[in-house]
Amino acid sequence: MIEAGRPWWRDAVVYEVYPRSFADSDGDGNGDLDGLRNRLPYLVDLGIDAVWIAPWYPSPFADGGYDVSDYRDIAPVFGTLDDADALIRDAHEHGIRVIIDLVANHTSEQHPWFQAALHSPPGSPERERYFFRDGLGEDGEQPPNNWISAFGGPAWARVAEPDGSSGQWYLHTFAPQQPDLNWRNDDVRDEFDAILRFWLDRGVDGVRVDAAPAMAKAPGLPDADYGPEPRFDTADWVDNPHWDVDDVHEIFRRWRGIADSYDGDRVFVSEAVVNGLERLRRYVRPGELHTTFNFEFLKTPWGAGLRTVIDETITALAPTGAPPTWVLSSHDETRLVTRYGRHRTGAAPLGGGAGARSDLELGTRRARAAALLMLALPGGAYIYQGEELGLPDVEDIPEDQLQDPIWARSGRTERGRDGCRVPLPWSGTAPPFGFGPADSAPWLPQPRSWTELTVAAQAADPTSMLSLYRRALRIRREVSGFHSDEFRWRDAPAGVLDFERADGVRCLVNLSPTALAVDAEVEVLVSSEPLHGGVLPTDVAVWLGPSRSAPGDGH
Ligand code: GLC
């Protein structure tokens, strides 16, 4: 039963577009908004409900566009504001909603506010919008406190004062090119109210809140107690003075008020990696954000532990009324077929674990099963571009072409996240694989071996990852059992996930080492591998369901 008035985002499948790597219409090696616009029919065929577009604003790209220098425009490399308007309009015509990415914890160092702060004296209103502090030590040569950056090293950088002398320090939770904004400052609050309205007025359907837990800092900026070895592991932090500080929720209540003043079910989704589901659920309390990514799911190794995290997520969020949102990968994570083919299958922070041996065949088999698991769960689901093609992480990008700031900040020991950001292969047998015009060179090199992974190759193959996603998404849309919050575990042998949604729709995932017999009487809607003789092998998932008028061919 579909409830009347049920907001679209409660069950939405959202496709993450990393615009620089999606499709390049003008041949400069970078994806762009017209590239995305031209490919909207592909997204319609795929069967998703919405796109989340990673930052598209003017930016020096010190952190892939998460360093914004103008929040009310589009990066020239991606197009113009008119292109964005046309994209939003066309997406809506195709029945696809648009979620944008708002980076509000920090600006780019090139943002006019930060430039003004650099050219203003200590204590000035311009510096009050950020965190400028005097250093410790006789000459202020030590950072103001012990806080560390997500990308390695201290979270403080020292500036030269306008007269050339060594001066104050400013806070940067991420790269030094990303100075943190001071959210206790009225200019900051008012400016972001206006930015939100700017985009909501242009018709966007939702906003992803980047690095949400970073946006409030404990008053007085006290030292953090990291334990013996300072590591940026936000999932482990309790009472940290620069992450998940309670005051952050005031900002989101303010923002919710703005979204609620618009028609059409606008949605917020927060990126919040915090210590456990109890802390996470605060982000989606009534009057705050509508949804939040569920990173517990992505960190959980492939195996029976997935049942626990599914249970805990549903239970933890239930009192808030917010639906779960299931995420297995993103532009920050190792691609699924690579991760699931490794010995350690849970996600490590910021794409860590690069270089570990991976059995891609096994990883692909599991990724196929994981897709059916994720898409059968109640709530929303996020698919990162290229996961529907089963792309592996690219682990041999030449060092001189690596662009993630993690590479330099870690002293060239961590390769960072470029391996999951390689431009998509659309067609053909050699790079750029239809990503851009034939003679163009994508901003990150594509492996020659991607010939069989192109959209064109997979569209023609009913057994491909793309065909599996298309089939599953079509069924999810057509079968009403998926359009409700109903969810119930069935009794199952150890290591087998077996749950039912409304109207008898059922999902089984075999995570045990032994094959499982499946009820021969029940209709198979889709399975991640062909089922022979009614047997569900290890690492295979199946949807069983009520009879449908057009069930397709099962696998
Ligand atoms: C988020 C983004 C990531 C970025 C960081 C800083 O985690 O997903 O890509 O580096 O915020 O803005």
Side-chain angles (χ1 to χ4, degrees):
M1 281 278 291
I2 306 178
E3 297 157 32
R6 187 175 170 84
W8 65 273
W9 42 262
R10 290 198 72 87
D11 315 297
V13 177
V14 183
Y15 182 88
E16 180 190 354
V17 173
Y18 194 72
R20 198 171 179 194
S21 301
F22 189 74
D24 171 16
S25 71
D26 59 10
D28 67 357
N30 298 288
D32 45 49
L33 298 193
D34 273 351
L36 172 54
R37 229 173 117 198
N38 297 337
R39 298 287 186 182
L40 285 171
Y42 168 74
L43 297 177
V44 173
D45 287 347
L46 182 58
I48 49 99
D49 301 300
V51 285
W52 146 35
I53 304 172
W56 56 8
Y57 316 96
S59 164
F61 285 88
D63 180 24
Y66 282 89
D67 47 321
V68 179
S69 50
D70 180 355
Y71 290 85
R72 291 183 182 79
D73 206 349
I74 297 293
V77 71
F78 293 153
T80 63
L81 211 43
D82 284 345
D83 296 335
D85 288 338
L87 172 63
I88 296 167
R89 192 193 57 229
D90 284 10
H92 287 167
E93 272 169 18
H94 283 88
I96 293 175
R97 319 241 182 189
V98 177
I99 297 176
I100 57 161
D101 207 324
L102 189 61
V103 189
N105 174 65
H106 44 266
T107 67
S108 160
E109 61 173 346
Q110 294 301 326
H111 190 282
W113 274 9
F114 191 71
Q115 289 300 312
L118 287 179
H119 294 100
S120 302
S124 58
E126 288 80 1
R127 287 202 175 181
E128 271 306 299
R129 296 171 180 149
Y130 294 88
F131 291 94
F132 278 84
R133 294 289 184 279
D134 293 334
L136 305 178
E138 224 162 274
D139 299 313
E141 73 285 1
Q142 291 161 26
N145 69 22
N146 73 343
W147 294 1
I148 54 174
S149 149
F151 295 158
W156 294 92
R158 196 169 191 188
V159 301
E161 296 300 349
D163 66 3
S165 63
S166 294
Q168 288 196 298
W169 297 71
Y170 68 87
L171 180 67
H172 59 87
T173 300
F174 296 90
Q177 296 89 340
Q178 296 166 295
D180 280 43
L181 285 164
N182 171 13
W183 272 89
R184 295 183 197 275
N185 181 277
D186 281 337
D187 285 358
V188 172
R189 290 166 179 258
D190 294 346
E191 174 67 358
F192 277 87
D193 287 355
I195 291 166
L196 272 175
R197 291 205 165 88
F198 178 86
W199 290 106
L200 292 169
D201 285 341
R202 298 194 104 81
V204 304
D205 303 281
V207 175
R208 171 201 184 251
V209 184
D210 182 61
M215 290 168 64
K217 278 85 182 173
L221 315 186
D223 273 354
D225 177 10
Y226 297 120
E229 215 189 306
R231 279 193 31 235
F232 205 93
D233 204 349
T234 60
D236 283 349
W237 287 346
V238 178
D239 290 335
N240 178 288
H242 61 88
W243 199 266
D244 195 24
V245 171
D246 286 343
D247 292 353
V248 82
H249 296 284
E250 209 186 295
I251 304 167
F252 303 138
R253 284 193 284 272
R254 178 177 176 126
W255 285 9
R256 179 61 183 257
I258 295 174
D260 283 350
S261 71
Y262 283 80
D263 60 359
D265 286 335
R266 316 294 175 112
V267 67
F268 281 113
V269 55
S270 70
E271 185 212 21
V273 183
V274 293
N275 188 319
L277 289 158
E278 196 279 321
R279 295 297 301 182
L280 184 67
R281 105 166 132 218
R282 292 162 183 254
Y283 288 76
V284 289
R285 286 177 295 199
E288 295 199 29
L289 305 175
H290 310 77
T291 61
T292 184
F293 291 144
N294 170 12
F295 289 100
E296 302 296 322
F297 188 55
L298 153 146
K299 285 183 286 180
T300 306
W302 181 247
L306 286 165
R307 176 177 174 143
T308 313
V309 76
I310 292 167
D311 256 348
E312 288 177 354
T313 303
I314 293 173
T315 312
L317 294 181
T320 67
T325 51
W326 308 100
V327 186
L328 285 172
S329 66
S330 77
H331 66 285
D332 292 327
E333 308 293 339
T334 305
R335 284 211 178 264
L336 216 48
V337 303
T338 302
R339 170 154 76 84
Y340 279 159
R342 286 183 184 157
H343 178 62
R344 292 171 68 116
T345 50
L350 294 176
R357 206 188 67 80
S358 176
D359 175 345
L360 291 182
E361 212 175 297
L362 177 65
T364 302
R365 183 181 174 88
R366 291 172 169 172
R368 292 173 68 96
L372 291 192
L373 167 62
M374 176 170 91
L375 294 173
L377 290 169
Y382 280 75
I383 299 169
Y384 173 49
Q385 67 179 37
E387 290 300 330
E388 80 281 18
L389 304 176
L391 298 182
D393 238 50
V394 182
E395 301 193 277
D396 58 358
I397 299 172
E399 291 184 353
D400 62 0
Q401 293 189 51
L402 289 176
Q403 311 227 1
D404 190 336
I406 291 178
W407 174 239
R409 295 281 300 168
S410 68
R412 299 165 76 94
T413 56
E414 302 270 343
R415 292 174 65 89
R417 301 158 293 176
D418 290 329
C420 69
R421 298 175 178 178
V422 172
L424 293 190
W426 290 92
S427 57
T429 53
F433 291 116
F435 168 69
D439 53 353
S440 62
W443 70 283
L444 285 173
Q446 300 158 307
R448 300 198 73 83
S449 59
W450 278 8
T451 304
E452 283 166 22
L453 295 176
T454 64
V455 170
Q458 296 201 38
D461 173 4
T463 69
S464 68
M465 185 74 93
L466 178 60
S467 296
L468 176 70
Y469 267 88
R470 284 180 171 170
R471 193 173 301 126
L473 288 167
R474 193 191 70 221
I475 295 169
R476 180 178 160 119
R477 185 167 284 202
E478 287 175 0
V479 173
S480 62
F482 288 115
H483 311 158
S484 84
D485 298 333
E486 274 188 55
F487 174 87
R488 182 175 77 80
W489 291 108
R490 296 167 55 105
D491 290 339
V496 175
L497 307 184
D498 185 354
F499 58 86
E500 218 173 272
R501 300 292 309 280
D503 304 337
V505 182
R506 187 171 155 205
C507 173
L508 273 154
V509 189
N510 189 358
L511 301 164
S512 81
T514 37
L516 182 83
V518 179
D519 188 351
E521 300 302 304
V522 182
E523 182 197 359
V524 170
L525 298 177
V526 59
S527 61
S528 62
E529 303 288 338
L531 301 187
H532 300 295
V535 163
L536 189 68
T538 301
D539 293 333
V540 176
V542 62
W543 290 359
L544 304 171
S547 300
R548 296 187 310 127
S549 47
D553 59 356
H555 169 67

